[in-house]
Amino acid sequence: MTQATAPCCDANPDPRTLRGCCIGLSVATCLLFSGATTAADSFWSTIQLHGFAAQSVIKTSDNRFFGDSPDTSFDSTEIGVNASVRLDPKVLVAGQVLARRAGDMYDGTPSLDYALTDIALIASPERILGIRLGRVKNPLGLYNETRDVPFTRPGIFLPQVIYYDKVRNIVLSSDGAAVYGSLYNDLGEFSVTLVGGWPVLDDNVQWTYLGGDFPGTLRPNGSVWTGSLWYATVTEQLRFGLSGALASLRYAPHQNDILGPGQTDIVYGIASLQYSARRFTLSAEYGLEPVRWRRYGPLLPRQKVTSEGYYLQGTYRIRSNLELMACYEEGVADSDDRDGSEFAGVTGGLVPAHAMFSKIATVGLRWDPTPNLMLRAQYQWNQGTLVLSQLENPDFPRQREYWTLLALQVAFRF
Amino acid sequence: MTHRIASNPIHWPQWVAALAIIAMVLAFTPRWAPAQEIIANSGLPKTAITRNEARLFFSMKLGIWPNGAPVQVYVLPDDHPLHREFCTRVLGLYPYQLRRVWDRQVFSGTGQSPVTISSEAELIERTAASPGAVSYAAKPPDNPGVRVLPVK
């Protein structure tokens, strides 16, 4: 089940940070030496530095969301700095460091968000084809690649039923390679991206996919594949995309572990649609995630459960720097048990039915007083607790089915 | 009204005609905004540009000219009237769409953003001074360092 019951956790270091860094930097260094001789003049002028910093305040009526929100939480901070340089018109090297504090889920330790070398093999007005090597962001849905950048999101939080913050890393980025291509003609733009590599896994993944923090370790079982297909009309008024991820995790039990050496197979598919007009933008996404558990032993029997979620979102620009937002989203942990009653029955009420779904209505306001400063306010009505982190809310009886959320955010960019 | 029109049968069609002419003039006159031109550094061999190419250059998706030179894009701030007019009229994109594309690229490591310049005069100067530069102006600039690229 995608729900958790165990009470404690401890942090493991992220072995992937170093690996991704090495890949990105070694590729960059090679290209730096090859590129410096040919493009020494324009090299320095192409360096760009960008970044952002955001702080949110969150107050919920009940349930913990990004910290002790029932008592007003300030535990949501996002800071990122990136640098990029064009070694050659066809070669871009870029990297970003991200520090993210998110309640009990993330403590703000800086991590390497991406570090890559992008090489365009074909670059013409009709077609573009290239590869990216290093740590690359996975192209899932409308927002995954920039999900931690407040300015690129339509609200303070992304729709949680598609972009779960309780489990991010399995889909966040990959250490590996990407191939991308685009075709441009009178019909518009057709794009494809395929990424293969290794994901990072942390306690949040273990809690979500095993239902607790067990003594063994959950590791990627081979590589993770993600990919996307996009079509956009000539002026990008309409964008339609299909994207997905395939991942497999293997559990290595500890001595005297109650779980066996099991395997969890995850498929994640998203269909995305976005319409952009002068004053308004409409976005809708639908996500499907069949997950299969095998060989974990009697405590976690062999099973297959499909999670599902969708949202509809509209933003309206009153002025170029003032925007209203409304969103409705629904997610279920098991598409065969949409109201959670079956699972509540199986667990004898230990897991309440409302932990198996979330229905959320959101209204929000965005104001950019200057191009570098953004202020946001957002209010949410929630039914169900599926989107809550079990790490933050380990005690099911204390979770309330109906709860509201008020969030304010200030964000700066350069 | 009926009485006045009836008593001045000669005058009312003149009013209608005058209003119609004013309406037509308003309808067919481009709005107050000046015409926009795509300008490029005069060192480039290019003499015209397609709308598709222009979109790719200004959205920073294509960073290379057909002759292999790197493209350097200069723009005015998002809320500058000339930028807004240029985006919607020449590129067919809203400024927020361009910003969205730039941000997605800059913050995922897949591209860069254009250099933002605060005034049109400086925009033209920088375009004249940088090989491979492309930008825009309200009217053909009187600067030998830049050339207008008609949109094919």
Side-chain angles (χ1 to χ4, degrees):
Chain A
M1 287 284 90
T2 53
Q3 298 302 317
T5 50
C8 65
C9 86
D10 55 359
N12 293 318
D14 171 8
R16 209 184 67 141
T17 304
L18 200 61
R19 187 176 66 215
C21 198
C22 291
I23 297 170
L25 287 181
S26 55
V27 176
T29 312
C30 291
L31 286 155
L32 192 62
F33 285 112
S34 63
T37 50
T38 54
D41 296 346
S42 57
F43 173 80
W44 294 105
S45 65
T46 69
I47 293 179
Q48 288 195 356
L49 285 173
H50 294 279
F52 58 90
Q55 175 65 46
S56 302
V57 189
I58 301 153
K59 168 84 180 118
T60 53
S61 60
D62 301 278
N63 305 328
R64 297 177 78 236
F65 191 75
F66 286 68
D68 280 321
S69 51
D71 298 325
T72 306
S73 167
F74 291 83
D75 294 347
S76 172
T77 313
E78 293 159 301
I79 300 170
V81 177
N82 68 60
S84 62
V85 60
R86 258 192 204 290
L87 300 182
D88 176 276
K90 289 186 167 183
V91 180
L92 178 78
V93 176
Q96 178 162 280
V97 173
L98 179 72
R100 189 168 177 275
R101 211 161 56 96
D104 298 348
M105 297 175 283
Y106 294 92
D107 64 2
T109 306
S111 65
L112 190 68
D113 194 32
Y114 60 78
L116 59 90
T117 299
D118 182 324
I119 302 161
L121 305 171
I122 301 172
S124 79
E126 292 78 34
R127 59 186 66 87
I128 291 173
L129 178 72
I131 54 169
R132 298 185 184 114
L133 304 170
R135 176 168 296 176
V136 296
K137 304 292 282 192
N138 289 331
L140 288 172
L142 288 164
Y143 300 110
N144 192 60
E145 288 162 282
T146 57
R147 63 185 293 158
D148 299 316
V149 186
F151 289 86
T152 67
R153 297 193 294 248
I156 296 175
F157 308 104
L158 281 173
Q160 294 289 302
V161 300
I162 299 286
Y163 303 93
Y164 286 99
D165 276 314
K166 65 181 185 179
V167 45
R168 306 151 23 85
N169 283 352
I170 199 161
V171 294
L172 190 64
S173 56
S174 300
D175 285 345
V179 180
Y180 64 92
S182 294
L183 280 178
Y184 302 91
N185 57 37
D186 294 344
L187 293 173
E189 174 182 352
F190 298 84
S191 302
V192 59
T193 305
L194 188 65
V195 181
W198 290 267
V200 70
L201 300 179
D202 62 14
D203 288 341
N204 290 287
V205 173
Q206 194 150 329
W207 274 73
T208 303
Y209 287 102
L210 290 184
D213 187 49
F214 291 96
T217 46
L218 203 56
R219 292 188 198 288
N221 185 17
S223 52
V224 169
W225 292 89
T226 54
S228 68
L229 279 170
W230 282 94
Y231 165 70
T233 54
V234 172
T235 57
E236 289 200 21
Q237 273 209 312
L238 191 68
R239 299 174 67 217
F240 174 68
L242 294 172
S243 47
L246 291 175
S248 179
L249 312 175
R250 193 168 20 208
Y251 183 73
H254 196 256
Q255 275 184 334
N256 307 323
D257 206 321
I258 49 172
L259 288 183
Q263 183 175 330
T264 306
D265 300 316
I266 301 162
V267 180
Y268 195 29
I270 304 175
S272 314
L273 190 65
Q274 189 168 58
Y275 179 78
S276 301
R278 189 167 73 93
R279 289 244 178 236
F280 66 88
T281 300
L282 294 175
S283 311
E285 292 195 288
Y286 173 80
L288 206 58
E289 186 187 11
V291 179
R292 193 170 56 169
W293 290 264
R294 290 185 287 173
R295 299 197 291 273
Y296 281 101
L299 193 73
L300 192 59
R302 179 192 181 98
Q303 58 184 319
K304 187 182 174 190
V305 175
T306 301
S307 305
E308 200 183 306
Y310 76 89
Y311 74 87
L312 291 168
Q313 184 161 52
T315 53
Y316 182 82
R317 279 166 290 278
I318 301 165
R319 294 200 310 259
S320 62
N321 65 349
L322 190 64
E323 192 176 279
L324 292 173
M325 180 271 283
C327 181
Y328 180 74
E329 56 191 294
E330 264 188 46
V332 294
D334 181 352
S335 58
D336 292 331
D337 180 25
R338 304 187 80 87
D339 63 359
S341 56
E342 204 179 298
F343 193 65
V346 169
T347 59
L350 186 70
V351 178
H354 62 71
M356 300 295 285
F357 65 86
S358 268
K359 298 177 182 183
I360 310 169
T362 307
V363 290
L365 182 69
R366 170 182 177 163
W367 178 41
D368 293 52
T370 75
N372 298 325
L373 187 65
M374 175 180 77
L375 302 172
R376 264 183 166 147
Q378 189 165 321
Y379 194 80
Q380 285 186 348
W381 293 267
N382 283 266
Q383 183 191 355
T385 57
L386 175 66
V387 299
L388 294 179
S389 161
Q390 239 49 60
L391 202 67
E392 294 197 310
N393 300 271
D395 200 4
F396 276 112
R398 294 183 63 185
Q399 291 184 13
R400 294 294 167 86
E401 179 174 1
Y402 292 90
W403 53 290
T404 58
L405 178 150
L406 172 68
L408 304 172
Q409 184 179 60
V410 54
F412 169 78
R413 65 182 286 163
F414 67 88
Chain B
M1 283 303 280
T2 317
H3 173 74
R4 280 190 60 192
I5 290 167
S7 66
N8 300 296
I10 298 165
H11 292 134
W12 74 265
Q14 288 173 338
W15 277 107
V16 171
L19 282 174
I21 288 165
I22 291 168
M24 281 172 68
V25 167
L26 284 177
F28 290 98
T29 305
R31 280 186 290 156
W32 51 269
Q36 290 89 36
E37 309 281 359
I38 292 181
I39 58 170
N41 184 276
S42 56
L44 284 161
K46 212 163 165 60
T47 53
I49 190 168
T50 65
R51 207 170 293 274
N52 177 44
E53 275 180 298
R55 272 190 214 107
L56 288 171
F57 289 150
F58 283 95
S59 65
M60 305 293 285
K61 288 179 181 172
L62 181 61
I64 188 163
W65 291 103
N67 71 350
V71 176
Q72 173 68 63
V73 181
Y74 292 111
V75 293
L76 291 165
D78 287 10
D79 56 352
H80 194 287
L82 180 57
H83 178 76
R84 290 210 301 258
E85 288 294 319
F86 173 76
C87 289
T88 50
R89 281 158 176 260
V90 179
L91 301 180
L93 299 168
Y94 303 110
Y96 79 87
Q97 288 179 291
L98 266 187
R99 173 58 61 189
R100 196 163 68 191
V101 173
W102 297 337
D103 282 352
R104 196 163 55 222
Q105 291 169 167
V106 163
F107 291 104
S108 63
T110 58
Q112 294 190 310
S113 61
V115 176
T116 304
I117 306 286
S118 57
S119 78
E120 190 190 348
E122 200 192 337
L123 201 65
I124 295 165
E125 276 173 37
R126 292 285 286 269
T127 307
S130 318
V134 62
S135 186
Y136 48 78
K139 57 180 180 7
D142 186 17
N143 186 324
V146 301
R147 83 154 54 120
V148 170
L149 292 184
V151 179
K152 285 190 286 197

